[in-house]
Amino acid sequence: MEGVIDAATRDLLTRSPGIDWTVTEFVRVVDTRLPPRVFLRHCPELADGRPLTPGGAPVHLQLLGSDPAALAANARQALALGTTSLDLNFGCPAKLVNRHDGGASMLRDPERLRAAVTAVHDAVGDTIPVTAKVRLGFADRRRALECAHAAEDGGAQQLVVHARTRNEGYRPPAHWEWIGRMRQRLSIPVVANGDIWTLEDYWKARTLSGCRDVMLGRSALADPDLAARIRHWQRTGERLPTTPWSRKADTLLAYAALQRSILSARVVVARLKQWMNHMRAHDAEAATCFQALRRVTELEDFLAGLRDSRDTTRLASTA
């Protein structure tokens, strides 16, 4: 999710009811305390005095690292800047991150994971909650429960579990039943994550894991209305129709409007392509539009192509 889930995306995705809270892109912690500008770059919502999206969804600041002392120092820095929740990333499967002793690499040694969570919890005390995200393990699932207990024992107040190991990456299937085994052995809330693309996926994940709450990542980009449709289904039992491509295109155009004043045109185009790449795997019209625009580099030309695709879809739906 790096490079996509920024403040503008959080704003757009939380304008409709459905998302209870959001998480920033990770702040990479190595061996020093980072200056305030780094935290504000990842979480500009802190500048408003309380980290909330314009729609009112809390924003949790995410740290990624392995050194307990450095994590503690940066936790105190984040607290001083006004963060209201700290999330620790032990789930990132990226090769570069894992090669530098971050993310899911910590799942190979539960005691190191415990030490990292403990250091952050001790640094902020009970002032703000500390949460964590894990996978089912690094190469296999043999230590999944041990890692979950390590996070809980270290002081994590909630655990998000991505239902695959690091080596499984994002390859289906997600093993939601394993999250259920972990949830039954923990006393803290557990949130299911991984391959929840549709209402049916949500129901399967909820049934197999026993978790009412789920975290959406790539699927929130693929369908910006998925959280709202899940929430509506929870409350009423009614299944709203799948989000049309025209609505998704409107979201992309709104994202460009928010970003073009602070990012270069070429960066905005790159971000739009990254977002559309998540959409196209689950939407034939998004895939067609992506294919037509994949070599376009000028922002105005890209936006014109998006509008044409959106308007063509709308005309077809009313014909």
Side-chain angles (χ1 to χ4, degrees):
M1 307 304 293
E2 187 178 7
V4 182
I5 299 296
D6 52 21
T9 309
R10 293 193 290 271
D11 175 7
L12 289 169
L13 294 179
T14 58
R15 290 183 179 182
S16 299
I19 294 178
D20 298 303
W21 44 271
T22 67
V23 183
T24 68
E25 298 170 282
F26 62 73
V27 176
R28 183 67 166 104
V29 174
V30 182
D31 56 3
T32 60
R33 186 181 67 178
L34 298 165
R37 68 176 181 275
V38 174
F39 294 90
L40 292 170
R41 183 171 69 245
H42 285 78
C43 188
E45 296 94 342
L46 285 170
D48 296 327
R50 182 171 173 78
L52 300 170
T53 68
V59 181
H60 299 189
L61 186 72
Q62 182 181 186
L63 302 179
L64 182 148
S66 56
D67 181 82
L71 284 168
N74 282 280
R76 287 188 288 268
Q77 178 81 294
L79 180 62
L81 291 170
T83 191
T84 54
S85 181
L86 282 172
D87 186 62
L88 299 177
N89 183 328
F90 303 116
C92 179
K95 290 182 180 179
L96 180 62
V97 169
N98 282 245
R99 197 158 54 239
H100 289 85
D101 202 26
S105 68
M106 295 287 282
L107 300 175
R108 291 180 289 198
D109 189 340
E111 287 308 312
R112 293 189 67 211
L113 191 153
R114 186 195 316 272
V117 178
T118 299
V120 172
H121 179 261
D122 289 350
V124 300
D126 294 323
T127 308
I128 59 173
V130 175
T131 63
K133 182 181 180 184
V134 299
R135 283 176 170 252
L136 297 180
F138 189 83
D140 54 55
R141 304 174 203 134
R142 287 179 296 178
R143 308 192 81 175
L145 186 59
E146 194 178 351
C147 287
H149 277 305
E152 180 180 42
D153 293 346
Q157 296 184 28
Q158 177 179 269
L159 193 67
V160 175
V161 183
H162 183 100
R164 280 179 283 237
T165 66
R166 182 268 175 191
N167 284 359
E168 288 172 328
Y170 295 103
R171 295 190 304 274
H175 307 286
W176 297 316
E177 68 282 1
W178 272 79
I179 299 178
R181 298 174 192 175
M182 296 164 75
R183 183 188 61 81
Q184 291 171 359
R185 302 287 294 275
L186 298 175
S187 60
I188 58 175
V190 176
V191 178
N193 172 244
D195 273 5
I196 301 168
W197 300 98
T198 65
L199 294 178
E200 290 75 17
D201 291 338
Y202 163 73
W203 184 253
K204 290 177 184 176
R206 175 175 172 174
T207 301
L208 291 173
S209 70
C211 301
R212 183 176 187 274
D213 295 328
V214 300
M215 174 171 277
L216 306 180
R218 297 168 297 149
S219 59
L221 298 175
D223 181 357
D225 290 335
L226 178 58
R229 293 194 294 116
I230 289 174
R231 177 57 51 82
H232 183 81
W233 196 23
Q234 287 175 334
R235 290 176 173 173
T236 70
E238 179 188 10
R239 294 175 53 182
L240 296 176
T242 303
T243 309
W245 164 240
S246 58
R247 157 71 179 151
K248 296 176 185 178
D250 279 337
T251 301
L252 294 171
L253 290 165
Y255 179 80
L258 289 173
Q259 294 288 44
R260 63 187 309 168
S261 63
I262 57 177
L263 298 175
S264 72
R266 288 185 178 271
V267 171
V268 175
V269 171
R271 295 279 182 92
L272 289 169
K273 289 179 180 179
Q274 189 175 359
W275 195 333
M276 288 182 70
N277 193 44
H278 290 285
M279 290 179 172
R280 70 187 179 109
H282 299 271
D283 188 315
E285 288 173 296
T288 299
C289 184
F290 181 85
Q291 186 64 30
L293 298 177
R294 61 183 302 181
R295 299 190 185 280
V296 175
T297 59
E298 297 298 324
L299 179 58
E300 291 305 330
D301 293 340
F302 196 95
L303 297 180
L306 264 180
R307 293 188 192 99
D308 288 345
S309 176
R310 175 200 63 185
D311 295 343
T312 299
T313 300
R314 283 181 175 161
L315 287 172
S317 66
T318 58

